[in-house]
């Protein structure tokens, strides 16, 4: 009997070990981030499916779809158009968040995934967009696949901006909602009537000190004296130290000192104030959408650029990706760029004074959903959805409407098109559902529709005739030469010849942060002196809302290389002259901090011969109320 018990114990230990090993083995089986209704309002929110440490990346590497000078090209429209148009732009990011600002006068970024679905909160910011990921991205995968931007009919058809992700700026526990920093103005950081992130953090520190005091002295001084001390701390001390922010800070404290420990037991003043920001992970599994079922890679479809691939095996009928929709009323019109030029080549406001008229379409059209009998376009802001390519008969996903109880899609489907711009994406969610079992690593494909397929075939058939000979390389190609993962060429010093610097399509940009307290003075040949500062990877005083690593890209701008030192083995270092402050030099700038960027209107995105066509919104699921062009429809693409 003793032997049997020992054997059973051994078997139990083996089973337990196997379960632990299985749990630690393949992390791809665990969903890292979900999308559901936010705990703060009836808007979308992102929730951690696992715990994240500070500086850990969150979510997959998403695409960024840029739109150029949208407000300028729609400046003459009426108030109703402008109001609906601004509603769409309000869901987009400024391109300053991802390094796309150099391509036009104004660049707007449409994004998906956690960067889109995460809510903002002035007091509980725990993640930010990780800008270096997009600025210092590598394109080795695409260029080594055989893609040639000078000859491919896909040139300019797909976005070159990618690798968008979030980074945790605090420890995030599994189930916690992810809150982003939308800027102090948007978040109401200066509003003294409500606590902000600094108030929460400072009060947590104060509560810990209060607890230490009362745990040590409360019994000795008695209940009445202890309460008087607490009220003095809560009122007089806070008024003196927090000044205008005292009311907001005081609102985070309990009525008596006995409640201090409960606040810390709940995880601090923020979680005590908003306990619903933490969901049970099992609830998320059953009621939310997983946002990391896909990973990005080079598409197996010729000329398609990058594609979306299954991160884990998925069954038939399983949701591969949620697609929250953002409506753009008069979408075709809004994405059309019309320029009127007089006989001198100068731009004028109307065709009455124009000698020539040029009409182009924004690249964003390629990522929009469109029904031929509706004037509204829809941007599908799902995780990695922009990478899901056309599969035609080989498609393995289809679109259906969400059935989540927290998404009121049925009400949105009844609205007239004029009201759609005011509907939040939380109530317009379409699911990409597997039409058959999908293997891990298999490319996920959607049928874009017959109209798209015909237009693409026509474009590829005629490409060689209309293709312009491309002699100048884009920033993507030049950066690959200097930042290849295999062998990176150094940037040339002024004494060295390099044709890249004669390329009128690009400019050199540096991520420059330097220590102003460590200045040197270099004597010049004419007897003058130039101040020289050492490059540093982050500011000495980090911004209150961002980690050091997350803000490294904030000080970027044009630059000129003055000197180079080092070698491939030790790493190249440069002395550069900032374009914004040509009277100084910055030394010890690492090779990784220097990049080429495309100059305005020079990247492949602006190629006038590039393919443009929206993705078909299936008629079978398109609401009848949204068909405002019914009876007057004429195929726009014929």
């Amino acid at each position: 009997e003793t032997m049997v018990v020992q054997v059973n114990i051994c078997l139990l230990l083996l089973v337990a070990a196997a379960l632990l090993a299985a749990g630690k083995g393949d992390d791809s089986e665990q969903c890292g981030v979900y999308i559901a209704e936010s705990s703060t309002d009836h808007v979308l929110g992102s929730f951690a499916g696992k715990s994240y440490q500070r500086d850990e990346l969150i979510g997959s590497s998403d695409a960024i779809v840029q739109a150029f000078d949208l407000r300028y090209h729609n400046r003459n429209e009426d108030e109703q158009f402008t109001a609906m148009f601004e509603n769409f732009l309000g869901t987009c990011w400024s391109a300053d968040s991802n390094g796309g600002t150099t391509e036009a006068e104004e660049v707007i970024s449409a994004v998906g995934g956690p960067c889109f679905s995460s809510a903002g909160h002035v007091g509980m910011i725990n993640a930010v967009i990780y800008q270096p990921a997009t600025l210092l991205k590598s394109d080795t995968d695409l260029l080594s696949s055989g893609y040639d931007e000078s000859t491919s009919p896909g040139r300019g058809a797909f976005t070159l901006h990618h690798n968008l992700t979030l980074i945790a700026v605090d420890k995030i526990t599994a189930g916690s909602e992810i809150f982003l920093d939308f800027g102090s103005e948007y978040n109401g950081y200066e509003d003294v009537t409500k606590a902000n992130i600094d108030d929460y953090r400072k009060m947590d520190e104060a509560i810990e000190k209060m607890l230490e005091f009362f745990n040590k002295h409360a019994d000795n001084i008695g209940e009445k004296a202890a309460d008087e001390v607490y009220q003095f701390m809560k009122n007089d001390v806070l008024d003196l130290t927090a000044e205008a922010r005292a009311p907001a800070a005081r609102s985070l404290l309990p009525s008596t000192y006995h409640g201090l420990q409960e606040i810390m037991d709940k995880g601090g003043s923020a979680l005590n104030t908003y306990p619903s920001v933490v969901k049970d992970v099992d609830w998320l599994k059953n009621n939310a959408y997983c946002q990391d079922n896909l990973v990005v890679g080079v598409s197996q479809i010729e000329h398609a650029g990058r594609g979306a691939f299954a991160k884990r095996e998925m069954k038939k009928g399983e949701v591969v990706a949620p697609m929250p929709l953002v409506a753009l009323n008069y979408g075709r019109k809004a994405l059309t760029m019309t320029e009127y030029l007089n006989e001198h080549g100068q731009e004028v406001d109307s065709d009455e004074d124009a000698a020539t008229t040029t009409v182009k379409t924004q690249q964003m059209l390629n990522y929009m959903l469109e029904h031929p009998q509706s004037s509204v376009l829809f941007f599908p802001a799902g995780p990695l959805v922009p990478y899901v390519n056309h599969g035609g008969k080989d498609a393995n996903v289809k679109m259906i409407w969400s059935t989540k109880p927290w998404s009121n899609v049925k009400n949105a489907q009844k609205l007239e098109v004029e009201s759609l711009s005011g509907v939040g994406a939380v109530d317009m969610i379409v699911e990409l559902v597997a039409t058959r079992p999908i293997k891990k690593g298999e490319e996920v494909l959607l049928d874009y529709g017959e109209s798209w397929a015909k237009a693409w075939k026509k474009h590829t058939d005629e490409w060689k005739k209309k293709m312009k000979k491309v002699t100048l390389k884009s920033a993507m190609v030049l950066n690959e030469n200097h930042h290849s993962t295999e062998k990176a060429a150094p940037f040339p010093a002024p004494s060295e010849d390099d044709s890249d610097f004669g390329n009128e399509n690009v400019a050199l940009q540096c991520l420059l942060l330097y220590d102003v307290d460590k200045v040197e003075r270099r004597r010049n040949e004419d007897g003058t002196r130039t101040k020289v500062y050492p490059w540093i990877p982050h500011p000495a005083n980090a911004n209150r809302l961002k980690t050091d690593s997350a803000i490294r890209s904030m000080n970027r701008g044009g630059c000129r290389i003055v000197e180079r030192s080092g070698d491939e083995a030790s790493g190249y270092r440069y002395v550069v002259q900032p374009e914004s402050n040509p009277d100084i030099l910055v030394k010890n700038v690492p090779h990784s901090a220097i990049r080429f960027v495309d100059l305005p209107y020079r990247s492949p995105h602006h190629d006038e011969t590039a393919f443009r066509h929206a993705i078909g919104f299936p008629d079978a699921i398109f609401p009848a109320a949204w068909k405002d062009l019914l009876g007057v429809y004429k195929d726009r693409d014929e």
Side-chain angles (χ1 to χ4, degrees):
E1 185 176 345
T2 303
M3 180 67 70
V4 172
V5 172
Q6 290 177 340
V7 170
N8 286 337
I9 291 174
C10 289
L11 287 173
L12 287 172
L13 290 172
L14 287 171
V15 170
L19 289 173
L20 286 172
K24 294 180 180 178
D26 189 358
D27 190 52
S28 67
E29 297 306 312
Q30 179 183 10
C31 182
V33 59
Y34 289 90
I35 179 175
E37 182 184 30
S38 173
S39 63
T40 62
D41 201 352
H42 185 56
V43 295
L44 289 176
S46 295
F47 295 83
K50 64 175 187 176
S51 294
Y52 289 92
Q53 300 301 316
R54 179 186 169 111
D55 291 340
E56 187 175 353
L57 298 182
I58 302 171
S60 303
S61 301
D62 243 301
I64 307 160
V65 182
Q66 311 286 32
F68 310 108
D69 301 331
L70 276 176
R71 288 188 174 92
Y72 175 79
H73 290 293
N74 292 281
R75 64 192 183 280
N76 296 324
E77 302 300 335
D78 60 32
E79 290 185 9
Q80 183 187 28
F81 177 99
T82 302
M84 293 186 290
F85 178 67
E86 287 295 333
N87 281 343
F88 175 81
L89 296 185
T91 68
C92 300
W93 284 83
S94 164
D96 186 60
S97 65
N98 55 69
T101 54
T102 64
E103 288 208 48
E105 287 294 320
E106 182 189 36
V107 185
I108 300 294
S109 304
V111 303
C115 293
F116 172 83
S117 60
S118 300
H121 194 288
V122 67
M124 292 184 288
I125 296 165
N126 52 18
V128 296
I129 286 182
Y130 183 48
Q131 295 193 18
T134 55
L135 290 163
L136 308 182
K137 62 185 181 294
S138 170
D139 293 290
T140 300
D141 58 343
L142 180 62
L143 294 173
S144 63
S145 70
Y147 171 73
D148 185 346
E149 69 170 18
S150 65
T151 60
S152 173
R155 173 183 166 84
F158 56 85
T159 179
L160 299 177
H161 294 276
H162 63 99
N163 211 32
L164 182 69
T165 188
L166 300 179
I167 187 171
V169 296
D170 263 327
K171 182 180 179 180
I172 304 175
T173 58
S176 297
E177 184 163 2
I178 296 168
F179 292 107
L180 302 186
D181 173 19
F182 291 157
S184 59
E185 182 177 349
Y186 178 92
N187 287 331
Y189 184 84
E190 303 301 335
D191 186 350
V192 297
T193 64
K194 60 182 180 180
N196 61 35
I197 191 169
D198 282 345
D199 295 328
Y200 285 113
R201 290 175 177 173
K202 290 177 181 177
M203 290 312 297
D204 284 349
E205 294 174 1
I207 289 172
E208 288 182 349
K209 293 178 181 178
M210 289 182 187
L211 272 173
E212 184 180 353
F213 172 85
F214 289 110
N215 288 338
K216 186 176 182 179
H217 300 290
D219 290 342
N220 295 330
I221 64 176
E223 179 67 20
K224 182 179 179 181
D227 184 65
E228 290 177 350
V229 171
Y230 176 70
Q231 297 304 325
F232 174 74
M233 292 177 175
K234 183 178 178 180
N235 296 293
D236 299 73
V237 174
L238 266 184
D239 285 339
L240 182 64
T241 57
E243 299 179 337
R245 301 212 60 83
R250 192 157 34 242
S251 69
L252 304 179
L253 293 174
S255 57
T256 72
Y257 72 90
H258 294 290
L260 294 172
Q261 186 61 56
E262 183 181 358
I263 291 176
M264 299 313 294
D265 289 343
K266 289 182 178 179
S269 55
L271 289 177
N272 180 66
T273 307
Y274 298 96
S276 61
V277 301
V278 180
K279 303 287 188 185
D280 183 81
V281 174
D282 286 334
W283 184 93
L284 292 173
K285 291 178 180 178
N286 295 321
N287 297 278
Y289 292 111
C290 181
Q291 292 205 76
D292 67 357
N293 282 330
L294 300 174
V295 293
V296 63
V298 177
S299 177
Q300 298 169 357
I301 299 173
E302 190 177 17
H303 307 303
R306 292 182 171 84
F309 295 82
K311 183 178 181 180
R312 51 184 68 94
E313 289 189 3
M314 283 170 278
K315 301 175 182 177
K316 179 179 179 180
E318 189 174 347
V319 178
V320 176
M323 295 201 309
L325 303 182
V326 183
L328 177 59
N329 289 77
Y330 307 108
R332 283 267 181 163
K333 185 178 183 180
L335 296 183
T336 298
M337 301 176 287
T338 305
E339 293 183 347
Y340 305 106
L341 303 177
N342 62 22
E343 57 186 4
H344 303 294
Q346 299 169 327
E347 191 168 358
V348 292
D349 283 337
S350 68
D351 57 355
E352 297 179 0
D353 302 318
T356 60
T357 301
T358 60
V359 180
K360 294 191 295 184
T361 303
Q362 298 272 1
Q363 185 195 64
M364 183 177 283
L365 179 68
N366 291 358
Y367 294 90
M368 305 293 274
L369 300 180
E370 178 182 44
H371 189 280
Q373 294 174 328
S374 179
S375 64
V376 186
L377 298 180
F378 300 87
F379 181 76
L384 268 67
V385 166
Y387 292 128
V388 177
N389 290 311
H390 172 65
K393 293 184 293 184
D394 296 323
N396 50 18
V397 294
K398 67 177 182 180
M399 288 188 271
I400 65 171
W401 283 103
S402 171
T403 57
K404 299 293 185 186
W406 46 265
S407 179
N408 194 1
V409 295
K410 290 185 178 180
N411 180 66
Q413 291 168 353
K414 300 174 184 177
L415 297 176
E416 296 182 351
V417 294
E418 289 79 9
S419 301
L420 293 180
S421 66
V423 178
V426 67
D427 291 326
M428 286 200 297
I429 297 180
V430 169
E431 300 171 352
L432 279 186
V433 174
T435 57
R436 60 169 176 78
I438 300 176
K439 297 178 181 179
K440 180 179 179 179
E442 183 179 351
E443 185 166 5
V444 173
L445 301 171
L446 174 70
D447 186 356
Y448 284 8
E450 185 178 353
S451 177
W452 187 97
K454 287 182 178 178
W456 176 249
K457 185 178 186 305
K458 181 180 178 182
H459 173 75
T460 54
D461 289 345
E462 298 176 354
W463 174 249
K464 289 185 178 180
K465 297 178 183 178
K466 63 181 181 181
M467 178 185 70
K468 289 186 175 181
K469 186 176 181 181
V470 179
T471 57
L472 296 177
K473 299 174 182 177
S474 70
M476 176 183 71
V477 176
L478 294 178
N479 283 330
E480 177 62 15
N481 179 42
H482 294 287
H483 293 283
S484 171
T485 54
E486 296 180 359
K487 184 176 177 61
F491 290 99
S495 59
E496 300 171 334
D497 181 40
D498 193 320
S499 58
D500 291 350
F501 288 94
N503 187 338
E504 61 185 20
N505 284 349
V506 300
L508 207 60
Q509 189 179 78
C510 297
L511 305 184
L512 291 183
L513 296 163
Y514 49 89
D515 192 339
V516 295
D517 296 324
K518 295 182 180 180
V519 61
E520 299 176 4
R521 286 175 171 78
R522 174 181 293 189
R523 182 181 294 275
N524 302 315
E525 293 182 357
D526 61 0
T528 61
R529 293 178 179 268
T530 299
K531 293 181 178 179
V532 183
Y533 298 95
W535 184 91
I536 53 175
H538 54 78
N541 297 313
N543 184 292
R544 67 179 189 278
L545 300 181
K546 301 178 177 69
T547 63
D548 295 344
S549 59
I551 60 175
R552 290 180 184 177
S553 64
M554 298 305 289
N555 292 34
R556 61 182 182 270
C559 59
R560 184 178 71 87
I561 293 175
V562 177
E563 295 175 7
R564 186 188 74 231
S565 60
D567 52 33
E568 184 178 355
S570 62
Y572 297 106
R573 293 273 170 171
Y574 301 85
V575 175
V576 304
Q577 180 185 50
E579 191 176 277
S580 60
N581 191 357
D583 294 330
I584 70 166
L585 296 176
V586 181
K587 67 177 184 177
N588 297 329
V589 179
H591 186 79
S592 60
I594 304 175
R595 285 290 194 277
F596 281 105
V597 294
D598 293 299
L599 288 173
Y601 316 107
R602 297 297 182 89
S603 79
H605 295 152
H606 299 276
D607 194 326
E608 61 187 26
T609 63
F611 176 73
R612 296 288 183 264
H613 199 288
I615 300 167
F617 204 133
D619 184 67
I621 67 168
F622 196 80
W626 298 358
K627 296 180 180 180
D628 60 323
L629 300 182
L630 191 64
V632 296
Y633 166 65
K634 182 179 180 181
D635 193 339
R636 306 179 183 90
D637 303 304
E638 290 184 355

